[in-house]
Amino acid sequence: MSPNVQISYNITDSFQSRYATYPKNRSDGSITSYSIVQAGIDRAKKALFVNNFVPWKFHPRNFDFEPSANQTRTYIHNIVLQQTSIDSGDSYTPLAGQVDESYTLSISTVGNVSVSAPSYIGILHGLETLTQLFYQYSDEDDEAYTTLAPVHIIDAPQFSHRGLNMDVARNYYRPGDIMRTIDALAWNKFNRLHLHVTDAQSWPLEIPALPDLAGEGAYRTGLSYTPAILREIQEYGICRGIEVIVEVDMPGHTSSIGLAYPHLITAFSVQPNWDVYAAEPPSGQLKLNSSAVDDFLTTMFNDLLPRISPYSAYFHTGGDEVNANAYLLDETIQSNDSLIIQPYLQRFVDRNHDQLRAAGLTPIVWEEMLLEWNITLGPDVLVQTWQSNEAVAQTVAKGHKALVGNYQYWYLDCGKGQWLDFYPSSAPTHYPFTDYCSPYKNWRLMYSYDPLDNIPSEQRHLVLGGEVHIWSEQTDPVNLDDMVWPRTSAAGEVLWSGAKDAQGQNRSQIEASPRLAEMRERMVAKGVKAGPVQMIYCTQYAERRDHEAKDIAVLGGGITGLASAFYLSKELPHARVTIYEGSSRLGGWLHTKHVDVGSGNIIFEQGPRTLRPSLPNGYVTLDLVRQLKFEDRVLMTSKQSVAARNRFIYYPDHLVRVPGPGVSLLENLASMFTSPLLQGIPSALAFEFMAEKRPSNLEDESVGSFISRRFSPALADNIVSAVLHGIYAGDVYKLSIKSLQPLLWEWEGKYGSITSALLNYPWFTNGKLMLLQDAEIWNARTLGPILSRKLKGISEASVYTFKGGLGELADKLEEHLRQCKNVTVKTDSKIAKIKYIGQSEGIKITTQRNQPPATHTHAISTLSSRALSSAAAPSLPSLTNSNAVTVMVVNFYFSNPDLLPVHGFGYLIPRSVPYEQNPERALGVVFDSDATIGQDTVAGTKVTVMLGGHWWDGWSSYPDEEQGAAMAKSILARHLKITAKPDFINVGLQKECIPQYIVGHETRMKNAHRELEKEFKGRLRVAGNSYTGVGLNDCVRAARDVVVGLVEENGEDKTGLGGFLREKRYVRAISE
């Protein structure tokens, strides 16, 4: 990537100003999402091209890790930022959880980059992640590179409040120090800076209505925060997605007020026994029963709160370490009895919080107010805990929202020893002068802290997040960066991703350490003097260890296994990869036969014959074709071709053209209302909104039952069953609607009917509706010339294949893999046993050949789910009863090119066709000579008859080749009147070739995911047509995704089935 990269953002300044500007009471102009993101773009470019770093510390010494100057480079020319929702005014000053901070980031192998998010904050997060994927060249200052493409990241925080509490009272920090900290917080995806701005030692916050406060309370004239400075800090934060929360701690920690107004303070600066009245010197607390204090607070808040509310939803009123003894010296109370003090303290808190709420602010207090003083707090109040995990549990048990930050884990100042001096007489009793919270909280300890420790699941939503704390007794601007970073980065990862991985275990230090060390280097390059994580020896060794450690078995040499091995060879070029295939050939069901018919050559496909390019998974396959460099072999079938326009269903005794493109609207309408095939269906569609609602306890349903219930049995039996015969060879009354058409299932659940869902759909908005993870792939496809010029016409293709048949894809993958020195291919190696043998060893693979078992660190199974369950028995019971159907494929070639009575792609046969019209139990017929023109070198008629599928379920034996050919001939004679003798016949029986996603598939996959996690601990992952899609495109996508998950081992999906647990989120993808 070079500095001239173009970064576009779909929200314009003029467009945004019609919706929300910020802050609303500004007279000198407003901040908008557009201005914030544009500034973020400038910072991203600076991070990429000015303040980047060379990652030599993360590679073995003297290792040539940079892309070669002679290597072909793919440049990123455009980065598209797509904000999918409009920010409201509250987006800039949100309560915790009020703004969706999620984002998705895609980088394709051909240099297209997209970031999409529902908010400006999400866009900023996506930009930060993008910059952190790129490095600086050693000898080229003006370019950045990444070796990680393709990248597809779907990211969102687990906790909505992720902050740093910075004490700027005990030592003074220049505005630049605070702003530098805000920058670092943004780089680490925090969203709050809590400024503990006043304390007993100093009052640096200027209150113009009370000028003596800072005039007397600041350490020195000029060491204070004027309204202008405070506003500058607040706006600096907002523009980086950091909300600045101001704390005025009270009634304790207020001795500095007494420097200007001593009559407001009790136990003011008592010496020498200050420790009787305070946690640290000087002592002094606001009086609780004083009208003068009330007047002071009213004046202070009337001045301050209008300057806070435009920039934050919160204000922190403190409340920690209130010393009861101080009120012995308060003439209005004269007691240290908490029962006497408590009502006064309750009144004090109530008056303050009432004034905050009147200013539109939500109060935050320290835990002592609730847990020690038993103060009744409003339900809006956020309670900040710090003393123990038990305090968090007690807070949420009372129904209050909580912030975590246990001092035993997240106090950054601990471990430096005492800051007090001791006289010789007492020094020995304090030896070795440790502080109260020793030891030092190293990053590993901070990383181990779980904010949800011992919190019941039903109360976890009340834990909004937490804060790391840097108190300033021994921290000032000189050592600030080193004290805060990179330890706070470790806590930031906990707050963003959670402390536990998908297996419920604490996240690995081994995996986190290199990330943290790299993040430290990035911060140093940007001017933050963060401390080192490890010595260079360790960071270099970690990279070497990771490359050398992975030894990956790919079980199965079909298209999913081959594609998985291909992606592994690209993503982990130093890992060892072994492919185990049970048969003598690679490619699985992808099998093309080339036949010499004397006057030329023809192609017979025994498996899939064409691919669709128009879906997200189709793009993944096309990108694979591009990477394999055989785009010139692609053979496209135009959307205007007869095969694309004409598709038929046989019903009840003749071919019926299905309404669709290529025919006039009137003809389509006439067909809808006159064809027996469609009889009753238009009215069923029109009155679908009146159909019965599904029972609330129904978790899944067959496609046939769903369609019959919502529309009509005729639609299920005549149309949908035929379509499913063509795709799944399956029974419409067994296949799962939730797995095959999840959007329809979700629409009914959300809107009550499909009609209502369509009425609520924003048709005026461009873009296809699809799952978020699919939309990211789709968006990347449409952003610029993602495919080579050889494929630029693919958008006009209905389907495509290759000149030598789809088998060319398997051949090209095999050719590539056999040239990879780190890939070993073992055919005739059927898997007999798969066993997990521990984290240090991994997976033991035993084949049916007379060979010793092999051990691999990881395995990707692309076997059928039933075969995997058998080999891994008894570990995966959810996969034991997986179903798959058997299909017989009969290919015919006739030298006569004019045998077909009609032309088109072919026809499908629904379940409703009378038995006498289909006693052979055929599924459909493909007119190959129409569907894939250009493969054969000789003219003629080619057709393929597909037999069996679910009709043959339970059969103990199947027709032989001669019987199958005879059955297929009968179909052609009865349906198409073709009685001519074929010149060539090819018969293939594909046993259990198409898995059946029957009702309950999603639940079984969720259970299988949990079983894989429990029994194989992330070492065995699955992909293939048994799980997430039966088509070839689905298999290639699954291969890509499972490899990405393996490369990113710290990700949430450690099985290949994690997507089944992910909430289905539909978005609008970019239109073509």
Side-chain angles (χ1 to χ4, degrees):
M1 189 192 306
S2 65
N4 61 3
V5 63
Q6 299 298 307
I7 305 179
S8 62
Y9 177 44
N10 67 318
I11 303 294
T12 64
D13 203 11
S14 59
F15 178 78
Q16 175 67 24
S17 64
R18 288 186 284 139
Y19 291 88
T21 56
Y22 166 82
K24 293 182 178 179
N25 63 345
R26 281 277 299 274
S27 59
D28 58 340
S30 297
I31 301 171
T32 64
S33 299
Y34 176 81
S35 64
I36 291 173
V37 172
Q38 288 300 319
I41 291 171
D42 293 340
R43 292 194 302 274
K45 286 189 173 183
K46 188 174 180 181
L48 286 165
F49 307 117
V50 179
N51 295 329
N52 212 330
F53 81 108
V54 178
W56 63 269
K57 292 181 181 179
F58 303 96
H59 298 277
R61 63 185 73 194
N62 300 317
F63 184 72
D64 186 11
F65 59 88
E66 292 181 338
S68 169
N70 298 323
Q71 183 177 339
T72 301
R73 296 179 180 178
T74 300
Y75 276 86
I76 294 170
H77 298 292
N78 297 285
I79 299 171
V80 174
L81 309 181
Q82 183 84 10
Q83 188 169 326
T84 58
S85 299
I86 301 300
D87 293 312
S88 67
D90 292 335
S91 299
Y92 307 100
T93 58
L95 293 169
Q98 204 170 35
V99 170
D100 187 343
E101 297 183 70
S102 66
Y103 69 93
T104 55
L105 166 64
S106 292
I107 305 176
S108 75
T109 54
V110 293
N112 288 283
V113 179
S114 66
V115 176
S116 67
S119 67
Y120 86 92
I121 297 177
I123 294 290
L124 293 182
H125 289 329
L127 279 172
E128 285 296 344
T129 297
L130 177 66
T131 66
Q132 292 166 20
L133 299 176
F134 284 80
Y135 305 97
Q136 178 182 319
Y137 281 103
S138 300
D139 56 356
E140 296 180 38
D141 294 336
D142 61 341
E143 289 190 353
Y145 72 93
T146 183
T147 58
L148 301 175
V151 171
H152 182 66
I153 297 171
I154 302 174
D155 205 7
Q158 177 162 334
F159 295 100
S160 54
H161 186 117
R162 306 178 306 281
L164 171 70
N165 171 27
M166 182 177 178
D167 172 12
V168 296
R170 289 182 174 88
N171 269 313
Y172 178 77
Y173 296 85
R174 297 177 299 274
D177 300 320
I178 299 173
M179 293 176 189
R180 186 175 69 255
T181 302
I182 288 174
D183 282 328
L185 287 170
W187 304 334
N188 288 273
K189 296 188 179 68
F190 283 81
N191 63 358
R192 303 286 192 271
L193 174 62
H194 166 184
L195 287 181
H196 183 86
V197 76
T198 65
D199 211 293
Q201 292 78 14
S202 84
W203 184 289
L205 180 64
E206 292 193 14
I207 306 294
L210 299 166
D212 290 341
L213 260 181
E216 300 293 333
Y219 283 127
R220 185 182 182 187
T221 301
L223 299 188
S224 59
Y225 304 109
T226 66
I229 289 173
L230 179 61
R231 187 179 77 179
E232 183 182 11
I233 291 169
Q234 292 167 318
E235 291 187 355
Y236 195 87
I238 291 295
C239 290
R240 287 152 179 79
I242 305 296
E243 185 174 343
V244 177
I245 297 172
V246 172
E247 178 190 358
V248 175
D249 199 356
M250 55 183 146
H253 294 273
T254 51
S255 180
S256 58
I257 295 174
L259 297 172
Y261 307 102
H263 63 287
L264 304 180
I265 302 298
T266 183
F268 175 55
S269 197
V270 174
Q271 291 292 349
N273 57 337
W274 57 265
D275 54 331
V276 175
Y277 305 102
E280 60 183 41
S283 64
Q285 295 178 175
L286 280 171
K287 296 177 180 179
L288 295 180
N289 190 23
S290 166
S291 59
V293 170
D294 292 344
D295 293 342
F296 166 82
L297 292 172
T298 298
T299 301
M300 182 193 71
F301 280 141
N302 283 341
D303 183 299
L304 179 60
L305 298 185
R307 297 189 278 115
I308 299 297
S309 59
Y311 299 96
S312 179
Y314 295 101
F315 187 89
H316 202 311
T317 57
D320 64 318
E321 298 180 331
V322 175
N323 191 305
N325 289 333
Y327 294 108
L328 286 168
L329 307 183
D330 181 351
E331 70 278 5
T332 67
I333 296 179
Q334 296 182 334
S335 174
N336 64 354
D337 186 339
S338 60
L339 293 178
I340 294 175
I341 297 170
Q342 198 274 348
Y344 294 106
L345 187 57
Q346 179 74 63
R347 188 193 70 85
F348 180 87
V349 170
D350 288 345
R351 74 137 325 274
N352 292 339
H353 288 187
D354 286 346
Q355 194 167 357
L356 261 62
R357 293 186 184 102
L361 292 163
T362 296
I364 305 177
V365 298
W366 290 106
E367 66 176 63
E368 290 94 323
M369 290 291 94
L370 178 70
L371 303 180
E372 294 183 12
W373 289 98
N374 198 29
I375 299 299
T376 300
L377 300 171
D380 58 333
V381 177
L382 185 53
V383 178
Q384 183 157 26
T385 66
W386 66 278
Q387 297 189 90
S388 66
N389 291 357
E390 290 73 22
V392 185
Q394 292 169 18
T395 298
V396 298
K398 291 176 180 288
H400 283 285
K401 298 182 286 290
L403 296 179
V404 305
N406 190 330
Y407 80 97
Q408 298 178 71
Y409 295 89
W410 280 7
Y411 267 32
L412 297 166
D413 58 303
C414 294
K416 296 200 72 174
Q418 280 285 357
W419 50 271
L420 291 167
D421 299 323
F422 301 96
Y423 291 103
S425 59
S426 62
T429 63
H430 295 282
Y431 182 86
F433 311 109
T434 57
D435 53 49
Y436 80 100
C437 57
S438 287
Y440 180 84
K441 314 308 179 193
N442 62 73
W443 77 261
R444 292 171 182 83
L445 179 66
M446 297 181 70
Y447 195 65
S448 71
Y449 177 50
D450 184 0
L452 299 176
D453 181 48
N454 291 324
I455 304 298
S457 58
E458 66 273 13
Q459 295 173 354
R460 291 186 170 189
H461 68 283
L462 294 172
V463 181
L464 302 188
E467 293 182 355
V468 182
H469 304 268
I470 182 63
W471 301 109
S472 292
E473 285 88 347
Q474 297 181 86
T475 301
D476 69 4
V478 175
N479 68 339
L480 171 67
D481 291 357
D482 182 63
M483 288 291 291
V484 175
W485 307 107
R487 290 185 292 159
T488 298
S489 301
E493 185 168 307
V494 171
L495 288 169
W496 183 273
S497 301
K500 298 288 194 291
D501 62 18
Q503 286 75 40
Q505 302 297 315
N506 276 351
R507 295 188 183 275
S508 167
Q509 297 177 15
I510 299 296
E511 295 174 356
S513 182
R515 290 197 300 274
L516 193 62
E518 181 176 312
M519 189 64 192
R520 182 261 180 177
E521 296 301 318
R522 293 189 182 278
M523 289 192 285
V524 170
K526 295 176 183 179
V528 171
K529 297 179 180 178
V533 174
Q534 292 176 310
M535 58 181 163
I536 297 171
Y537 168 81
C538 297
T539 59
Q540 290 186 327
Y541 174 78
E543 198 273 352
R544 183 173 72 251
R545 177 194 62 215
D546 288 346
H547 277 315
E548 294 174 352
K550 285 189 172 63
D551 183 337
I552 305 165
V554 176
L555 312 182
I559 185 61
T560 313
L562 293 174
S564 297
F566 172 83
Y567 288 121
L568 287 169
S569 74
K570 294 290 188 179
E571 296 296 319
L572 296 172
H574 300 283
R576 291 184 291 275
V577 179
T578 305
I579 302 173
Y580 292 89
E581 167 55 38
S583 70
S584 59
R585 57 172 289 275
L586 300 177
W589 304 121
L590 205 60
H591 194 184
T592 303
K593 276 195 171 183
H594 298 263
V595 181
D596 183 353
V597 297
S599 56
N601 293 299
I602 62 169
I603 283 175
F604 284 151
E605 294 284 14
Q606 297 188 83
R609 64 205 61 248
T610 58
L611 297 172
R612 288 187 176 276
S614 58
L615 297 172
N617 292 358
Y619 159 65
V620 176
T621 304
L622 284 168
D623 191 54
L624 177 62
V625 171
R626 182 197 61 78
Q627 292 187 65
L628 290 168
K629 295 181 172 58
F630 73 118
E631 305 101 312
D632 57 343
R633 300 290 295 170
V634 169
L635 194 63
M636 304 177 198
T637 299
S638 167
K639 292 178 180 178
Q640 303 305 315
S641 68
V642 66
R645 295 198 313 270
N646 294 343
R647 294 173 184 265
F648 300 92
I649 288 178
Y650 187 85
Y651 179 86
D653 58 2
H654 62 279
L655 296 182
V656 179
R657 187 187 179 281
V658 178
V663 176
S664 70
L665 177 62
L666 288 177
E667 288 180 277
N668 276 328
L669 289 173
S671 176
M672 287 281 289
F673 287 97
T674 61
S675 170
L677 176 70
L678 304 173
Q679 188 171 9
I681 291 176
S683 61
L685 295 174
F687 293 100
E688 182 270 342
F689 68 95
M690 300 177 63
E692 64 173 294
K693 306 297 188 295
R694 72 170 180 242
S696 59
N697 61 347
L698 187 63
E699 295 184 357
D700 197 1
E701 185 177 11
S702 74
V703 175
S705 173
F706 179 90
I707 297 298
S708 297
R709 179 171 56 79
R710 293 237 55 87
F711 299 98
S712 73
L715 180 60
D717 293 343
N718 297 347
I719 305 294
V720 179
S721 73
V723 173
L724 296 188
H725 280 168
I727 301 173
Y728 296 92
D731 186 344
V732 68
Y733 287 99
K734 291 183 179 179
L735 293 168
S736 161
I737 185 70
K738 193 174 183 181
S739 294
L740 271 59
Q741 289 294 328
L743 184 57
L744 293 183
W745 179 263
E746 180 167 309
W747 273 357
E748 184 194 26
K750 183 176 181 179
Y751 296 102
S753 71
I754 311 305
T755 304
S756 297
L758 293 173
L759 291 174
N760 280 278
Y761 185 77
W763 296 103
F764 57 85
T765 304
N766 289 330
K768 299 173 180 286
L769 190 67
M770 58 182 67
L771 287 169
L772 176 63
Q773 56 268 34
D774 293 337
E776 291 308 309
I777 293 176
W778 183 257
N779 291 348
R781 177 191 183 277
T782 61
L783 301 176
I786 197 154
L787 299 171
S788 70
R789 291 184 178 181
K790 298 176 183 178
L791 291 177
K792 69 176 183 177
I794 198 72
S795 61
E796 299 303 317
S798 170
V799 294
Y800 73 96
T801 181
F802 304 105
K803 294 175 182 177
L806 280 187
E808 276 199 62
L809 180 58
D811 294 341
K812 286 291 183 181
L813 285 166
E814 181 178 358
E815 178 185 337
H816 167 86
L817 293 169
R818 291 193 182 278
Q819 293 175 355
C820 295
K821 294 181 180 179
N822 63 323
V823 177
T824 302
V825 178
K826 294 184 177 182
T827 53
D828 297 310
S829 298
K830 189 174 182 179
I831 302 299
K833 188 70 177 175
I834 305 167
K835 185 177 180 180
Y836 173 73
I837 54 176
Q839 282 292 347
S840 59
E841 293 89 0
I843 301 290
K844 183 165 72 175
I845 304 294
T846 304
T847 66
Q848 292 183 357
R849 298 176 67 178
N850 188 23
Q851 293 179 340
T855 301
H856 302 271
T857 61
H858 301 79
I860 296 174
S861 173
T862 67
L863 306 173
S864 72
S865 55
R866 182 181 293 178
L868 174 61
S869 177
S870 175
S875 298
L876 303 175
S878 295
L879 300 180
T880 301
N881 297 318
S882 302
N883 297 317
V885 296
T886 296
V887 176
M888 178 171 278
V889 177
V890 184
N891 310 110
F892 293 99
Y893 168 72
F894 304 87
S895 56
N896 183 351
D898 300 316
L899 286 179
L900 291 173
V902 294
H903 291 280
F905 193 86
Y907 66 91
L908 297 169
I909 306 172
R911 70 189 309 274
S912 53
V913 163
Y915 176 80
E916 60 269 18
Q917 289 296 324
N918 188 25
E920 300 82 4
R921 293 310 194 192
L923 301 164
V925 178
V926 179
F927 303 162
D928 294 298
S929 46
D930 286 347
T932 52
I933 298 173
Q935 288 182 325
D936 304 327
T937 61
V938 59
T941 299
K942 262 194 331 185
V943 295
T944 297
V945 179
M946 297 171 291
L947 303 166
H950 74 95
W951 294 122
W952 289 0
D953 283 352
W955 287 25
S956 58
S957 62
Y958 302 104
D960 59 24
E961 291 189 9
E962 184 177 346
Q963 292 169 327
M967 294 165 70
K969 288 179 184 178
S970 296
I971 288 289
L972 295 183
R974 185 182 311 111
H975 293 179
L976 301 178
K977 312 306 181 194
I978 297 177
T979 58
K981 180 181 179 180
D983 293 77
F984 284 90
I985 304 176
N986 177 70
V987 181
L989 183 67
Q990 320 293 352
K991 291 186 177 180
E992 298 184 354
C993 61
I994 305 179
Q996 299 295 285
Y997 298 172
I998 62 175
V999 173
H1001 177 75
E1002 180 180 283
T1003 298
R1004 288 187 292 276
M1005 294 303 102
K1006 288 179 178 178
N1007 292 336
H1009 167 79
R1010 297 184 182 102
E1011 292 162 4
L1012 282 163
E1013 282 190 329
K1014 179 182 177 182
E1015 300 295 334
F1016 292 93
K1017 308 294 191 297
R1019 297 306 185 98
L1020 174 64
R1021 299 161 190 250
V1022 299
N1025 62 359
S1026 288
Y1027 309 104
T1028 54
V1030 300
L1032 189 150
N1033 286 335
D1034 303 319
C1035 292
V1036 173
R1037 166 75 179 278
R1040 169 191 176 272
D1041 288 351
V1042 79
V1043 170
V1044 169
L1046 181 58
V1047 172
E1048 301 172 356
E1049 273 195 276
N1050 61 324
E1052 293 186 0
D1053 185 2
K1054 295 184 181 296
T1055 69
L1057 301 178
F1060 286 99
L1061 274 68
R1062 188 183 304 131
E1063 180 183 0
K1064 291 182 175 64
R1065 181 179 173 192
Y1066 290 90
V1067 298
R1068 290 187 299 277
I1070 300 172
S1071 297
E1072 289 186 89

